[in-house]
């Protein structure tokens, strides 16, 4: 047995030994069997770091053990990759470890063996499968979160591009999901590690700044804790008191969202007080408020009104001993476990103890809606967009007139509230009252609002404008479902009309494009039973007219392109050269020349010509990857730019910067002032307040492009400007 094997066995035994604290012996034996199966199945496999692959499943299982998950979940953690990466089958898992374990492993197994059009589509489909499995059994996502956490801890071994992609995915999906499930211990670590790879400059800057003031802050917090400890002892309240350092991503978010410098953030450390029961929580709060003056508007009672992720605690901010703001959190031991492990803290991890499965499921009612969205989403990517919109955005809490609390995505309007109550309430909605005042249906709801929906039996049902007004995907899907069911004939007619108008707009004859053959192919492509269903979907907004038009005109466009490009023959060497090309082909005159779209060469770039079959000479940048490995060297031909040529060429550039009001306008103004035509522009910002502006501009040569780039770089808050090449 090698040294590596001995060390691995020892690590696995140590992890499994932790489970003895809460699992019976038969369950501990099951975990050892799961480890042995995974060890043998992954034998010979290594990770990017060079470590034996089995190190990863052991780490995943240990994270689950630290959360005190049941034996089935931990066993699935040990074996979560065997079906995907080895010859072990689900049937074999089922025979040895039971159906529950096999189902959990199936839920986290990627769809790696199915071919997809793109990496994005495959990733979206993987996520959809995982979330649907989670809707059946929440333990699927707990395994996946443990898997992602260990992968993030070892991200340094991957290429830089992959690090950024995985870190962004973690911030978009896994950290928000950990937050919604209340698993703070995983959420914070995922966010901090992801920040290190998404914005390393800010990450290490914050780390260094925190280190400089660490001793000073720790001394201050120790003084505060000692004072609290002394007063609680006088009141005979037993408590654990600790200083809680603020997480790096939390500091980063505050600096970005509140436009603050590091030295302006005072609550870098908070004090946490853990007591026996709820009565002691409020007694402790009273003592804190007699010690130091509370700051107005900074007290939150999450015990009386828990967060959607089951988090409970009292939060208060006071003016501490040195006149600086000090945050104090007060909770019971049970609340603390829930705060750290969320839904996992409520799982059945001890026989006869803990919560029942039904009570756990009741805490996940918000997730049942995923199954509804699955039916309405056209594809996996739309499904994921709906998920991000409703589950991973900030939330508001509003009340029904009877006092029931309804949770909605931030930015929701009365229509979203109406459809959350019931589909029929939404469909019959004719107005709303907020805090006893009549409001419009697009009124933005705030936490604490009391909302009353006004309905009428004589309502004609939803208006198509409601699809623009509603903010939650749940409401949008229910409105679409109403149109789909109630107005099928009208939708079919409206769909036909929209398609015909779109065809004419794009210069196609509807009769030619909407042939039986083209429609049959499109119906099959978009997974409809017949043409009428497809037209109806366009009528109610389930499919766009542009999508169908693109499909049914595919062959027509191809034929037009072929007719417009003459066949490249020997006699074409004497063809008149178009006056707008600006290219000289060495040794040959009057040759058909076209610019490749893969690398978009412009005057000033080093270029090379490539003789194509039937389409003349294609001009590429010399460093274009599409020609680097070309074996037919005899088809290359020397070309050069004509010196006195002034044609404009379209170039794509990408500008990244800090997302702030007016940035896009300043960029557009600067480019226009440089006497440069803007062909197209598109901008978006991510959750880290990083704006990305994609722009197509018309330029004459490389010098012109460089002048534009230099002007844009001088704009405040612009990080970088780069030319976008598809190579």
């Amino acid at each position: 047995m090698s040294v590596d094997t001995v060390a691995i066995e020892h690590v696995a035994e140590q992890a499994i030994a932790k489970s003895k604290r809460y699992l019976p012996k038969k369950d501990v034996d099951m975990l050892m069997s799961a480890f042995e199966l995974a060890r043998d199945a992954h034998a010979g496999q290594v990770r990017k770091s060079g470590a034996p692959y089995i190190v990863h499943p052991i780490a995943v299982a240990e994270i689950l053990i630290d959360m005190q998950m049941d034996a089935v979940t931990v066993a699935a953690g040990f074996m979560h990759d065997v079906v995907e990466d080895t010859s072990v089958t689900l049937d074999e898992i089922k025979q040895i470890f039971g159906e529950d374990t096999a189902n959990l492993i199936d839920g986290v197994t990627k769809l790696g063996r199915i071919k997809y059009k793109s990496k994005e589509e495959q990733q979206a489909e993987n996520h959809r499968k995982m979330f649907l499995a989670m809707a059946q059994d929440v333990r699927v996502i707990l395994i996946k979160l443990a898997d992602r956490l260990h992968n993030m801890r070892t991200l340094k071994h991957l290429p830089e591009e992959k690090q950024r992609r995985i870190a962004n995915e973690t911030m978009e999906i896994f950290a928000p999901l950990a937050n919604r499930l209340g698993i703070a211990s995983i959420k914070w670590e995922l966010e901090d590690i992801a920040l290190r790879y998404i914005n390393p400059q800010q990450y290490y800057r914050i780390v260094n700044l925190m280190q400089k003031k660490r001793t000073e802050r720790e001394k201050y917090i120790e003084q505060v804790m000692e004072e609290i400890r002394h007063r609680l002892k006088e009141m005979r309240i037993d408590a654990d008191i600790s200083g809680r350092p603020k997480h790096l991503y939390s500091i980063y978010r505050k600096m970005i969202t509140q436009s603050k410098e590091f030295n302006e953030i005072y609550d870098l450390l908070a004090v946490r007080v853990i007591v026996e029961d709820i009565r002691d929580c409020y007694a402790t709060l009273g003592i804190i408020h007699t010690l130091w003056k509370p700051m107005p508007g900074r007290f939150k009672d999450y015990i009386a009104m828990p967060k959607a992720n089951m988090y409970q605690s009292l939060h208060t901010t006071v003016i501490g001993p040195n006149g600086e703001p000090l945050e104090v959190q007060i909770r019971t031991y049970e609340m603390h476990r829930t705060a750290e492990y969320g839904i996992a803290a409520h799982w059945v991890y001890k026989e006869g103890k803990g919560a029942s499965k039904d009570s756990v499921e009741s805490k996940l009612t918000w997730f049942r809606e995923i199954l509804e969205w699955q039916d309405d989403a056209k594809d996996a990517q739309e499904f994921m967009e709906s998920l991000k919109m409703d589950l991973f955005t900030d939330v508001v809490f509003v009340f029904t007139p009877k006092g029931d609390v309804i949770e909605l995505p931030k930015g929701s309007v009365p229509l979203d509230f109406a459809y959350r109550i019931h589909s029929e309430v939404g469909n019959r909605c004719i107005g709303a009252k907020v805090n006893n005042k009549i409001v419009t249906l697009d009124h933005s709801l705030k936490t604490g609002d009391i909302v009353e929906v006004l309905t009428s039996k004589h309502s004609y049902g939803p208006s198509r404008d409601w699809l623009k007004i509603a903010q939650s995907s749940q409401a949008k899907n229910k409105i679409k479902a109403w149109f789909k069911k109630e107005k099928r004939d009208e939708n079919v007619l409206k769909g036909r009309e929209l398609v015909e108008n779109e065809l004419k707009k794009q210069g196609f004859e509807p009769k030619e494009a909407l042939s039986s053959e083209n429609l049959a192919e499109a119906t099959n492509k978009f997974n409809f039973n017949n043409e009428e269903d497809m037209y109806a979907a366009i009528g109610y907004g389930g499919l766009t007219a542009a999508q169908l038009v693109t499909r049914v005109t595919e062959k027509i466009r191809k034929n037009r392109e072929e007719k417009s490009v003459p066949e490249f023959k020997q006699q074409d060497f004497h063809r008149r050269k178009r006056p707008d090309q600006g290219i000289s082909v060495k040794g040959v005159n009057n040759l058909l020349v076209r610019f490749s779209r893969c690398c978009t060469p412009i005057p000033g770039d080093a270029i090379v010509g490539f003789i194509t079959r039937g389409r003349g000479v294609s001009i590429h940048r010399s460093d274009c990857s599409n020609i680097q490995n070309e074996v037919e060297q005899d088809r290359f031909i020397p070309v050069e730019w004509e010196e006195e040529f002034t044609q404009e060429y379209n170039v794509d550039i990408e500008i990244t910067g800090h997302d702030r009001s007016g940035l896009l306008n300043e960029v557009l103004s600067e480019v226009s002032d440089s006497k440069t035509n803007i062909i197209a522009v598109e901008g978006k910002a991510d959750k880290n307040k990083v704006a990305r502006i994609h722009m197509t501009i018309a330029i004459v040569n490389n010098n012109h492009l460089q002048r534009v780039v230099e002007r844009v770089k001088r704009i405040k808050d612009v990080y970088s400007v780069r030319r976008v090449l598809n190579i």
Side-chain angles (χ1 to χ4, degrees), residues 378-656:
K378 290 196 300 289
D379 54 36
Q381 286 168 313
E382 183 183 290
F383 171 84
M384 287 308 299
E385 286 307 313
S386 293
L387 187 76
K388 289 176 191 176
M389 186 191 302
D390 276 17
L391 295 187
F392 300 155
T393 54
D394 291 334
V395 296
V396 293
F397 297 96
V398 296
F399 296 91
T400 68
K402 292 182 178 179
D404 295 327
V405 180
I406 303 293
E407 177 196 338
L408 294 166
K410 191 173 182 180
S412 288
V413 298
L415 271 180
D416 299 299
F417 176 87
Y419 278 104
R420 180 60 59 89
I421 300 298
H422 197 278
S423 298
E424 281 306 302
V425 174
N427 291 337
R428 293 178 179 175
C429 175
I430 57 168
K433 286 183 178 180
V434 173
N435 303 327
N436 219 25
K437 290 181 181 177
I438 296 282
V439 296
T440 56
L441 291 179
D442 61 355
H443 175 85
S444 187
L445 299 176
K446 297 179 179 63
T447 294
D449 283 345
I450 300 170
V451 186
E452 181 184 351
V453 180
L454 307 177
T455 60
S456 169
K457 291 180 181 178
H458 305 295
S459 166
Y460 290 107
S463 154
R464 290 190 183 276
D465 289 338
W466 287 11
L467 288 169
K468 297 174 186 173
I469 295 172
Q471 298 300 305
S472 67
S473 60
Q474 183 199 31
K476 288 177 187 286
N477 286 333
K478 287 183 175 179
I479 295 165
K480 286 178 186 177
W482 186 88
F483 281 112
K484 184 177 180 181
K485 182 181 177 183
E486 300 292 327
K487 297 199 173 186
R488 177 178 166 76
D489 292 342
E490 183 185 319
N491 286 328
V492 171
L493 289 172
K494 185 174 176 63
R496 284 183 195 277
E497 184 185 338
L498 288 169
V499 170
E500 288 181 6
N501 288 340
E502 183 67 24
L503 282 166
K504 289 172 185 174
K505 182 179 162 187
Q506 294 191 26
F508 296 101
E509 270 297 321
K511 262 190 179 181
E512 182 187 9
L514 301 175
S515 66
S516 300
E517 184 187 348
N518 286 346
L519 285 171
E521 286 180 6
T523 302
N524 184 51
K525 158 72 180 174
F526 295 117
N527 296 318
F528 290 105
N529 294 324
N530 52 56
E531 291 171 23
E532 285 205 340
D533 283 353
M534 184 165 63
Y535 280 128
I538 294 169
Y540 68 74
L543 181 71
T544 67
Q547 284 175 298
L548 179 57
V549 167
T550 300
R551 189 69 187 176
V552 296
T553 58
E554 200 171 346
K555 291 177 184 174
I556 302 171
R557 281 184 280 110
K558 194 174 179 184
N559 288 336
R560 286 182 183 178
E561 285 173 12
E562 286 175 0
K563 286 177 183 176
S564 67
V565 182
E567 190 178 351
F568 184 69
K569 297 179 180 176
Q570 186 64 34
Q571 59 264 34
D572 288 332
F573 277 66
H574 304 292
R575 186 181 308 278
R576 286 178 62 82
K577 180 166 71 84
R578 288 189 327 209
D580 61 345
Q581 290 173 330
I583 292 288
S584 247
V585 182
K586 196 170 180 181
V588 183
N589 293 324
N590 303 323
L591 197 59
L592 180 68
V593 169
R594 69 182 183 89
F595 295 100
S596 68
R597 292 181 183 175
C598 55
C599 56
T600 57
I602 61 172
D605 289 339
I607 53 174
V608 64
F610 184 76
I611 302 171
T612 66
R613 293 187 172 89
R615 298 186 72 182
V617 173
S618 176
I619 307 300
H620 292 260
R621 284 168 52 105
S622 300
D623 58 355
C624 177
S625 60
N626 285 342
I627 60 168
Q628 291 295 313
N629 302 319
E630 180 56 56
V631 291
E632 298 181 68
Q633 293 294 314
D634 57 333
R635 292 172 64 189
F636 286 110
I637 187 168
V639 292
E640 59 186 24
W641 298 102
E642 291 182 351
E643 289 183 15
E644 297 179 1
F645 202 75
T646 57
Q647 176 190 338
E648 289 187 334
Y649 299 80
N650 287 355
V651 173
D652 293 325
I653 60 173
E654 182 188 69
I655 299 131
T656 58

Side-chain angles (χ1 to χ4, degrees), residues 349-379:
Y349 57 89
K350 294 181 183 176
E351 291 184 12
K353 296 180 182 179
S356 70
K357 185 171 180 178
D358 287 343
S359 74
V360 171
E361 293 298 312
S362 70
K363 297 178 190 301
L364 284 170
T365 50
W366 55 272
F367 214 84
R368 302 283 80 84
E369 292 161 9
I370 285 183
L371 294 175
E372 293 177 31
W373 299 342
Q374 157 73 359
D375 294 336
D376 292 315
K378 290 196 300 289
D379 54 36

Side-chain angles (χ1 to χ4, degrees), residues 252-312:
Y252 170 76
R253 278 273 317 235
K254 187 166 277 194
M255 289 170 68
I256 295 294
T257 56
Q258 298 179 14
S259 299
K260 287 186 174 181
E261 288 298 321
F262 181 84
N263 57 12
E264 296 178 278
I265 298 173
Y266 297 106
D267 54 341
L268 294 173
L269 276 177
V271 172
R272 181 177 291 148
V273 183
I274 305 176
V275 294
E276 289 292 338
D277 54 38
I278 292 176
R279 184 187 61 185
D280 287 346
C281 287
Y282 288 100
T284 301
L285 177 69
I287 290 168
I288 299 293
H289 283 180
T290 56
L291 278 171
W292 301 291
K293 187 177 180 180
M295 290 180 68
R298 295 296 299 269
F299 168 63
K300 295 183 179 72
D301 188 342
Y302 294 120
I303 293 179
M305 188 178 287
K307 288 186 179 182
N309 60 12
M310 299 167 292
Y311 177 87
Q312 287 185 289

